[in-house]
Amino acid sequence: MYETERHLVAPLTLVGLLVLTACGSDDTPPTEAPGSEASPEETVEIPPEDLSGLLIFNWSNEDTFVTFHDVEDGSLNSRLSLHELNEADEERHQTDWSQFVFSPDFRNALIETDQGLILGTLDDETRSYTPGATIAPAEEASFSGGEITYAAPQFSPDGTQIWFEERSEHGEDDSRILAVDVDDPESEPDHVGDVPRVTQAPDTVEEVQVHGQGLQVGLPETVYTISEDLDVEVLDLVESEPPGQDSAPEDALEFLMNEDGTDIVPSNFVRGPEETFIGPLESAPQEDSHTQLSQFSLDEEGAVTDEEVLLETEGNPINRYWYDSQGDRLLLQTSDAYYLHTIGEDGEPERAFEALDFGDDTDVAGESDSLGVFQPHED
């Protein structure tokens, strides 16, 4: 339930050339029109539809790559290799999804390394991210003798800028958030805001526990987000009440929120339609098996309001769930298959497919994590 194209080129042999010559006029040798030289076939840009769907991060000893799968049938939309970008890290080969950050249209990717932030650009022909500029502080830069590193990167909502924390080795005060243009990444960064030291980007937190991602290092105290107006917003970890009457404190909803409750990053539940959320309220959210999912809101204090049961299933517990905003529906994974359930409809979820299709030529040996459902990017 719950995501090869061949070009046959016939070589023109010497015999074929002789035949074509023989067919021409005895008096006039064949000529070519000016500017008619054969040009290599242009690479077709990967369409936004192929860079959407259920996104899976895959890694093995041989390769690191992501795959996009159609939500309807689990078929493979595209496979993008991160191998070259990964190899650009001089210190180690990353098998941690949290070290990679993607632009909203997936045309660019970043890898966070000890040498700096390495920017990769999607090559449509090879379907891989090619490493380019390294964004790193000047060697002489330091705070009180401590080393400075660039960390917690993310792309701006429109994908034109890269934002990151300027983190000092011995710093105790706030850090600066810096920004560079994607088209000029090695330029002098702009100071665009300030955040508590050692903050994180929201992609390392958002819906991580719901999707079963392997990295479990605990929630940070703060994350920073970027508004559509390119302002920095700081979100703090919230101590919420457990959803069930008999639940233990560790069964609480986990999320980060800004001061007025208008910006929320959920960790063990997911975003739903129209500023609502979806998750289990009668069982521990971090568990990997649920028989009930509800839709609810969170007030400015982080308390659950307006809860409504969306679906119940006793005989086939839900292991993973994603919200597909394009279809206003849930994609559900159980032990036997993937199912779809439209928000607001009665009845049982409909079986969609048994397993994700990785294609005949895709090596999926290794491990994988889900990174969520993404819609085609609109310019």
Side-chain angles (χ1 to χ4, degrees), residues 63-130:
D63 200 2
T64 304
F65 57 96
V66 291
T67 50
F68 291 90
H69 301 265
D70 191 281
V71 174
E72 293 279 352
D73 58 12
S75 59
L76 181 67
N77 286 342
S78 59
R79 175 192 191 275
L80 309 178
S81 176
L82 291 162
H83 183 71
E84 288 186 58
L85 185 58
N86 206 352
E87 288 295 303
D89 186 347
E90 299 174 0
E91 300 296 330
R92 59 190 181 278
H93 185 81
Q94 294 286 358
T95 58
D96 178 358
W97 58 266
S98 71
Q99 299 303 308
F100 296 90
V101 180
F102 298 93
S103 62
D105 60 0
F106 290 95
R107 304 297 308 177
N108 292 290
L110 282 168
I111 181 172
E112 186 176 347
T113 76
D114 291 340
Q115 301 90 52
L117 310 174
I118 303 176
L119 176 63
T121 302
L122 181 59
D123 186 315
D124 293 276
E125 183 176 5
T126 63
R127 298 201 167 214
S128 63
Y129 289 97
T130 303

Side-chain angles (χ1 to χ4, degrees), residues 33-347:
S36 63
E37 293 182 5
S39 58
E41 184 177 346
E42 293 185 3
T43 301
V44 177
E45 183 175 296
I46 302 172
E49 292 74 18
D50 286 356
L51 302 178
S52 67
L54 179 61
L55 179 59
I56 304 295
F57 179 87
N58 309 267
W59 71 95
S60 67
N61 291 332
E62 290 73 33
D63 200 2
T64 304
F65 57 96
V66 291
T67 50
F68 291 90
H69 301 265
D70 191 281
V71 174
E72 293 279 352
D73 58 12
S75 59
L76 181 67
N77 286 342
S78 59
R79 175 192 191 275
L80 309 178
S81 176
L82 291 162
H83 183 71
E84 288 186 58
L85 185 58
N86 206 352
E87 288 295 303
D89 186 347
E90 299 174 0
E91 300 296 330
R92 59 190 181 278
H93 185 81
Q94 294 286 358
T95 58
D96 178 358
W97 58 266
S98 71
Q99 299 303 308
F100 296 90
V101 180
F102 298 93
S103 62
D105 60 0
F106 290 95
R107 304 297 308 177
N108 292 290
L110 282 168
I111 181 172
E112 186 176 347
T113 76
D114 291 340
Q115 301 90 52
L117 310 174
I118 303 176
L119 176 63
T121 302
L122 181 59
D123 186 315
D124 293 276
E125 183 176 5
T126 63
R127 298 201 167 214
S128 63
Y129 289 97
T130 303
T134 298
I135 305 167
E139 292 184 2
E140 65 273 12
S142 65
F143 289 143
S144 304
E147 182 183 4
I148 290 178
T149 57
Y150 288 166
Q154 58 179 304
F155 287 88
S156 61
D158 62 6
T160 63
Q161 294 183 327
I162 301 167
W163 293 37
F164 47 89
E165 179 192 356
E166 181 186 52
R167 187 175 296 174
S168 62
E169 183 179 10
H170 305 303
E172 296 180 357
D173 298 326
D174 287 352
S175 294
R176 300 196 304 168
I177 292 294
L178 305 179
V180 295
D181 290 340
V182 171
D183 292 338
D184 191 15
E186 294 180 298
S187 61
E188 183 70 24
D190 293 326
H191 177 202
V192 292
D194 297 283
V195 297
R197 184 177 178 274
V198 194
T199 191
Q200 292 293 336
D203 64 321
T204 62
V205 173
E206 184 154 357
E207 303 182 10
V208 165
Q209 297 181 46
V210 179
H211 298 157
Q213 295 169 331
L215 182 67
Q216 295 293 339
V217 294
L219 290 176
E221 291 297 321
T222 61
V223 300
Y224 78 99
T225 60
I226 308 169
S227 72
E228 295 291 340
D229 297 329
L230 302 183
D231 292 324
V232 175
E233 187 79 55
V234 176
L235 283 63
D236 296 310
L237 184 62
V238 173
E239 296 282 342
S240 76
E241 293 294 326
Q245 292 183 353
D246 300 325
S247 299
E250 60 268 19
D251 295 338
L253 298 174
E254 295 184 347
F255 56 98
L256 293 99
M257 184 173 69
N258 62 352
E259 288 185 357
D260 59 8
T262 58
D263 194 0
I264 295 173
V265 173
S267 183
N268 59 4
F269 55 102
V270 305
R271 297 183 187 273
E274 300 177 354
E275 299 183 356
T276 65
F277 301 93
I278 296 171
L281 296 181
E282 297 301 320
S283 59
Q286 68 269 23
E287 296 296 331
D288 57 4
S289 179
H290 306 289
T291 58
Q292 184 185 99
L293 292 178
S294 298
Q295 184 175 357
F296 57 92
S297 298
L298 294 170
D299 65 19
E300 63 276 5
E301 302 295 329
V304 173
T305 64
D306 304 322
E307 62 266 34
E308 179 183 358
V309 175
L310 284 181
L311 61 92
E312 294 183 271
T313 171
E314 294 297 335
N316 197 9
I318 300 164
N319 303 127
R320 299 282 178 262
Y321 58 97
W322 302 262
Y323 175 64
D324 171 27
S325 61
Q326 192 170 49
D328 194 24
R329 58 192 176 179
L330 285 172
L331 177 62
L332 311 169
Q333 181 186 15
T334 71
S335 60
D336 72 312
Y338 293 80
Y339 295 78
L340 288 170
H341 180 74
T342 302
I343 302 297
E345 286 192 359
D346 296 329

Side-chain angles (χ1 to χ4, degrees), residues 20-32:
L20 290 175
T21 303
C23 293
S25 169
D26 292 337
D27 299 326
T28 307
T31 59
E32 290 185 0

Side-chain angles (χ1 to χ4, degrees), residues 356-367:
L356 296 175
D357 178 12
F358 287 88
D360 295 337
D361 299 326
T362 301
D363 178 14
V364 294
E367 300 184 67

